[in-house]
């Protein structure tokens, strides 16, 4: 190997072809390969390397590399295979400079909310459409940064939820004219703009989706440079029960435009995480 250092992960440990300091790499409890790649990048920077290079086909790695740049600030590049035939180099420091510090910090949560390896994408909404809606809302970046740094700020009645609702409304319809997803669903459906299956999620469904996105961005990705990630494991709780989250009001329109109301409790379990072996 001509004096080169070769590292390979083996479960929670790391194997090396020669003696080196591995205290910042093991024992590692990361359940995702994406974050472990960034952990190795941070280790390379700590060893004095100023240029790093990663080749990947996963857009999540392209997004969350800002976590390493946030703490270690290496001068490096990231090669991304768009598909089997297309390839491009993405200089991380240039992208970070173009976006600015705030948008760079908001990018991981934006990625998890609009679809990543572990969260669903909004139906028929591309990343370009979502990014255009995000940049048009000046206060949404502050919301994404605040929630990433402190997920406990998130609640269904707080201002952050209202901003995210407005963001989702803009993704589905720029000219809808309302700020809340339930109102937008009613307006788009009644005027015939969209069918029921092509509407944005309800407020209750969006609330659960954002919580899953926060788990990914604020716990898995934000702790990518820590060898021990403290991830809430709701599956180990013995007191998990089905509890009513909210009352969902369904409107049924009869032949004489008489509106009937039907109330049903909406049940859900606390957000669960799955750990890979």
């Amino acid at each position: 190997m001509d004096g080169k250092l070769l590292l390979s992960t083996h479960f929670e440990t790391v194997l090396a072809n020669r003696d080196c300091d591995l205290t910042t790499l093991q024992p590692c409890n990361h359940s995702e390969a994406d974050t472990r790649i960034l952990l190795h990048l941070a280790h390379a920077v700590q060893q004095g390397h100023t240029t790093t290079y990663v080749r990947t086909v996963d857009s999540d790695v392209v997004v969350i590399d800002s976590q390493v740049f946030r703490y270690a600030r290496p001068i490096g590049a990231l090669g991304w295979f768009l598909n089997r035939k297309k390839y491009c180099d993405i200089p991380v420091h240039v992208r970070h400079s173009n976006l600015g510090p705030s948008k760079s910090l908001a990018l991981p949560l934006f990625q998890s909310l609009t679809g990543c390896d572990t969260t669903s994408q909004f139906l028929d909404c591309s990343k370009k459409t979502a990014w255009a809606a995000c940049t048009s809302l000046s206060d949404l970046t502050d919301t994404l940064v605040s929630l990433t740094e402190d997920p406990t700020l998130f609640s269904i009645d707080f201002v952050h939820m209202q901003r995210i609702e407005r963001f989702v409304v803009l993704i589905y319809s720029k000219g809808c004219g309302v700020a809340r997803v339930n109102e937008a669903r009613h307006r788009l459906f009644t005027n015939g703009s969209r069918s029921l299956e092509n509407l944005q999620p309800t407020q209750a469904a969006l609330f659960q989706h954002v919580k899953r996105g926060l788990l990914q961005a604020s716990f898995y990705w934000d702790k990518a440079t820590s060898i021990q990630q403290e991830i809430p494991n709701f599956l180990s709780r013995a007191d998990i029960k089905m509890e009513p989250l909210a009352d969902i009001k369904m409107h049924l329109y009869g032949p004489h435009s008489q509106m009937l109301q039907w109330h049903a409790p909406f049940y859900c379990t606390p957000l669960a995480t799955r750990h890979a072996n």
Side-chain angles (χ1 to χ4, degrees):
M1 295 293 293
D2 298 329
K4 295 181 180 180
L5 176 63
L6 177 64
L7 301 177
S8 177
T9 59
H10 180 68
F11 295 100
E12 293 188 354
T13 62
V14 176
L15 306 178
N17 63 332
R18 59 181 174 85
D19 293 336
C20 65
D21 183 13
L22 301 177
T23 56
T24 58
L25 290 178
Q26 63 179 5
C28 176
N29 69 341
H30 289 209
S31 59
E32 297 183 5
D34 298 350
T35 56
R36 205 157 186 180
I37 291 174
L38 302 185
L39 184 63
H40 279 269
L41 285 181
H43 175 263
V45 174
Q46 294 168 3
Q47 298 300 313
H49 296 279
T50 58
T51 302
T52 59
Y53 194 86
V54 176
R55 301 179 73 177
T56 181
V57 294
D58 193 344
S59 61
D60 288 355
V61 178
V62 180
V63 169
I64 64 178
D65 66 326
S66 59
Q67 300 301 330
V68 175
F69 198 88
R70 174 183 176 184
Y71 297 110
R73 306 187 72 83
I75 301 175
L78 193 147
W80 183 27
F81 283 94
L82 303 179
N83 53 46
R84 293 183 178 180
K85 296 182 179 180
K86 294 184 179 180
Y87 172 84
C88 67
D89 286 330
I90 305 175
V92 177
H93 57 291
V94 175
R95 192 201 66 186
H96 190 277
S97 176
N98 292 338
L99 288 177
S102 297
K103 287 187 177 180
S104 296
L105 293 178
L107 196 58
L109 183 53
F110 168 83
Q111 172 76 356
S112 64
L113 290 181
T114 55
C116 65
D117 289 349
T118 56
T119 60
S120 301
Q121 179 182 356
F122 293 112
L123 182 64
D124 295 332
C125 294
S126 65
K127 291 288 184 180
K128 290 184 178 180
T129 302
W131 183 251
C134 180
T135 54
S136 66
L137 299 173
S138 58
D139 53 0
L140 183 62
T141 300
D142 296 334
T143 288
L144 298 180
V145 173
S146 298
L147 292 179
T148 300
E149 295 177 345
D150 187 5
T152 60
L153 296 175
F154 183 66
S155 66
I156 197 169
D157 298 322
F158 202 46
V159 64
H160 293 317
M161 181 62 183
Q162 298 174 10
R163 293 173 180 174
I164 293 176
E165 284 192 59
R166 177 57 180 161
F167 165 64
V168 175
V169 170
L170 287 180
I171 290 178
Y172 281 83
S173 177
K174 294 182 180 179
C176 185
V178 297
R180 310 308 291 266
V181 289
N182 287 345
E183 297 175 7
R185 283 171 57 87
H186 181 270
R187 177 170 298 186
L188 293 176
F189 181 72
T190 53
N191 63 17
S193 300
R194 285 179 176 265
S195 59
L196 186 62
E197 60 271 14
N198 292 325
L199 294 174
Q200 56 265 69
T202 63
Q203 184 189 57
L206 179 61
F207 180 65
Q208 298 299 321
H209 176 75
V210 175
K211 288 201 297 184
R212 183 59 184 90
L214 280 173
L215 178 67
Q216 189 67 32
S218 300
F219 290 94
Y220 284 101
W221 290 347
D222 194 56
K223 305 298 187 297
T225 55
S226 302
I227 58 175
Q228 292 292 321
Q229 293 181 328
E230 297 181 2
I231 308 298
N233 186 6
F234 297 101
L235 294 179
S236 63
R237 290 176 49 186
D239 59 339
I240 293 181
K241 297 180 180 179
M242 298 289 284
E243 299 177 354
L245 173 67
D247 283 336
I248 297 180
K249 182 185 296 184
M250 298 184 64
H251 302 285
L252 305 177
Y253 293 88
H256 303 290
S257 299
Q258 180 181 5
M259 186 177 69
L260 304 177
Q261 294 184 355
W262 176 67
H263 295 267
F266 177 70
Y267 290 92
C268 73
T269 56
L271 188 64
T273 61
R274 180 179 180 181
H275 295 270
N277 294 326

